[in-house]
Structure formats: C-alpha cells, structure tokens
Amino acid sequence: MQPAIAPAPRTAEIARSTSETEIRIRIDLDGSGAARIATGIGFLDHMLTALSRHSLIDMEIEAKGDLHIDFHHTTEDVGIVLGQAVKRALGEKRGIRRYGQALVPMDEALVEAAIDISGRPFLAWSATFPRDKVGEMDTELFEEFFRAFAMNAGITLHVTQKAGSNAHHIAEGCFKALARALRMAVEMDPRAAGAIPSTKGVLEA
C-alpha cells in the first residue's frame, strides 16, 4: 500500500515596501487562530486579532506606515497584502468549500458576511457608523480595508449591517462575520475529493 501523501501546506508570506508603508504578513490557512499583530494602530490590531482567532487562520502581521499623516495608507495596505497572502495560500483552490457565510451578533449590533472565493473580486458594503472615529481610527477606513482585502484576495464579499448603534460593536461584528465566513469558505471539503469547485474547472477571473 502506498503511504498517504501529506497535503501541501496552505501558507504564504508576503512583504511589501512602498514610500508609505512597509508590511510583512505570514499566514497559515490551517492554523489555530494564533495571531501576532503589530500595525501601530491599536484598534486595527484588535480587529485583526479577532479576524485571526475566529477564522482559525494563523496570522503574523507587521506594518510600519506614515501614521504621522493618518491611518489610511497603513490600513489599506495591510488589507492589500493580507488579501494577496490569502490568494497565494489558496493556490489552485482545489477541494475548498468556496462559499461561506456568517451572521454575527455583537450586543445590539448584527452583521452578516457572505463570501465566494470566485476569482472575481467585488465588495458590496452596507455598514454605517454613528461616529467618525473608534479610538483614534477613522470609521471610514473599515470599508477601505475590506475593499483592499476583497480585491486582492480575488473574492466576492458582501458585508451587511442589519442592526447596531455602537460604532465599536458594528466594526467588531464586521470583522468577526468576515472571519467566520472566511473560515467556512477556505475549509477543505472532504466530499470534494480535491476537485476545483467550479463547473468551469478554474476559479479565476
């Protein structure tokens, strides 16, 4: 009997350096949710830690950016590189469930996320915040992060706020809903037998 072949690790490490940011991200899609996050933005670190924990994707994220200007470049570029890392770690996407969805309550807030790892990047964002900042972070930057992530991961992502009046809870609901939907979508489906989950035979744009 032939020995079983161990599946290839679904990991990726990407470094990106521009005049505005320096970012290094390493992920393991089949991890336990271990996170080491240091972006220089406290609330973003909090959200990315939740994203790692609830997706069970191990994440190491180090970012240095022009925070003396504002948090925009760092937030967007972390989304870009994290999306690229997820796309690379997925490889040909053989055997994955492809679709994922989650409805997450966070006290009075309720947020839904739905994902298709389709190769066709798209973000539908329907979340509003009652104030301009959470801590020192502009709430408008959450949409920028989600858009950068979806475009670079090559996924269709819908985020819909169904209830909520507390900006912190709404943001946390968005990240945790993404995490749970992503966990479902990247999971290996034992019934798929390693097939690409598409009638086209590929999951690319």
Side-chain angles (χ1 to χ4, degrees), residues 83-118:
Q84 291 172 344
V86 168
K87 184 175 183 179
R88 181 177 295 180
L90 283 167
E92 290 186 312
K93 309 176 183 72
R94 291 185 177 276
I96 64 169
R97 295 193 184 277
R98 176 176 168 175
Y99 296 99
Q101 70 278 336
L103 185 62
V104 171
M106 186 70 193
D107 293 350
E108 90 298 339
L110 184 66
V111 181
E112 181 178 45
I115 287 176
D116 176 12
I117 302 177
S118 59

Side-chain angles (χ1 to χ4, degrees), residues 12-72:
E13 183 168 356
I14 296 180
R16 183 177 189 264
S17 180
T18 72
S19 61
E20 298 167 343
T21 61
E22 291 185 9
I23 296 169
R24 184 191 69 84
I25 293 180
R26 185 185 186 282
I27 65 167
D28 182 349
L29 296 181
D30 301 306
S32 61
R36 291 197 308 172
I37 314 292
T39 67
I41 305 171
F43 192 76
L44 182 59
D45 288 357
H46 179 45
M47 293 297 98
L48 292 171
T49 299
L51 178 61
S52 173
R53 179 68 55 84
H54 292 280
S55 67
L56 295 182
I57 298 174
D58 291 349
M59 297 184 186
E60 296 178 14
I61 300 177
E62 298 175 4
K64 296 180 180 179
D66 51 3
L67 302 183
H68 61 287
I69 297 175
D70 65 12
F71 293 171
H72 187 283

Side-chain angles (χ1 to χ4, degrees), residues 150-196:
M151 295 301 111
N152 287 274
I155 65 175
T156 296
L157 172 60
H158 288 248
V159 178
T160 306
Q161 175 195 348
K162 295 180 174 293
S165 57
N166 180 290
H168 186 133
H169 295 163
I170 295 166
E172 193 159 345
C174 290
F175 277 85
K176 287 181 176 178
L178 170 62
R180 298 295 295 194
L182 190 61
R183 173 179 171 179
M184 183 185 298
V186 304
E187 188 177 41
M188 300 301 293
D189 184 350
R191 295 180 62 192
I196 294 174

